[in-house]
Amino acid sequence: MSGKTSRLRVVQPNHLLTVQDRGRQGAMRYGVSQSGPMDWVRFTLATVLAGDTSAAFEVGIAGASFFAEGPVRIAVTGPGFGVRISGGRTASFEAPVLLTLEDGETLSLSPGATGMWAYVAVGGIDFGPPVLGSLATNARTGLGARDFGRPFPCTAAAHADPVLYEDPLDDGGPIGLLPGPQQHMFPEEVRRTFASEPYRLTDALDRMGYRLEGPPLKAVRHDIISDGIVEGAIQVPGNGQPIVLCADRAPTGGYPKIAIVANADRPRLTQHRPGDTVRFAWIDEDEARARRRTLAERCRHPIPRIRAAFTSEFLAARNLIGGVWGPSPAHED
């Protein structure tokens, strides 16, 4: 790490706060969960905006707060999440936003009416050494766990005004599905039901998986020889209620998998909360790849948002006097 160094402290950490990168690639063959972000789109956007980092804090619905010891460059993303700065100034923003948190200021992140996961990426942050080639935290195994009681060194940042960005993901429409490896074990009418009826997210959800509730999906049989599980696979146990397997999933499973959530649509699913209703639709591989490419491009080239309105706190945080107030030279006496 070069240049001046600042530090960032986590204020009152909770069990839904972790550090994630793109996960432990290639480790599942050894029985190690991959981990990584629950929402790869907002994670990617945050790291691109912050720069000089490949990992970020993943913040769950419980929210989080961070205290700066020296100025740091921070990007915050996450649907429905609000950002508040207190200390030397008071200001509120909505994510996605890129800002400089000044020395002695606290950034607080809180959920709104929607959204489950947010990301806080910090320019030049040092999360410590990787474990099995990754900085990702797996809460169940303890791999990559960190002492949030100590500060994290960061590259000091020059002051810059906050900039809001467009969210790259459109949350409308059904969740795209691709055929699972055991799709043939489910009769055609069952596959049609899955793509036509609503399913509700239950309270049983975490980084390992989301349990759904709806019309039962009955297979020819519900026990198979355990095989590998990719992220987004939807397995169906004997009760017929599907389970979407997420970032901290086990490497293998012994239930048939009717479908796999398309990569581009996984964030739309994981950002739903317990009690929310989702609908699914079968799509083909070409459409799934096209959606993935479009989202990746939007993350690589973030679009600043044109502000239609400014809050009083936003305006109060700025000097709007110089160069604005005063008579025009053409009207001087």
Side-chain angles (χ1 to χ4, degrees), residues 54-70:
S54 60
F57 293 99
E58 182 176 81
V59 179
I61 198 171
S65 295
F66 305 87
F67 178 78
E69 299 176 358

Side-chain angles (χ1 to χ4, degrees), residues 95-114:
V97 61
L98 175 64
L99 54 84
T100 303
L101 191 65
E102 302 291 354
D103 182 34
E105 292 185 334
T106 298
L107 181 148
S108 298
L109 187 61
S110 57
T114 60

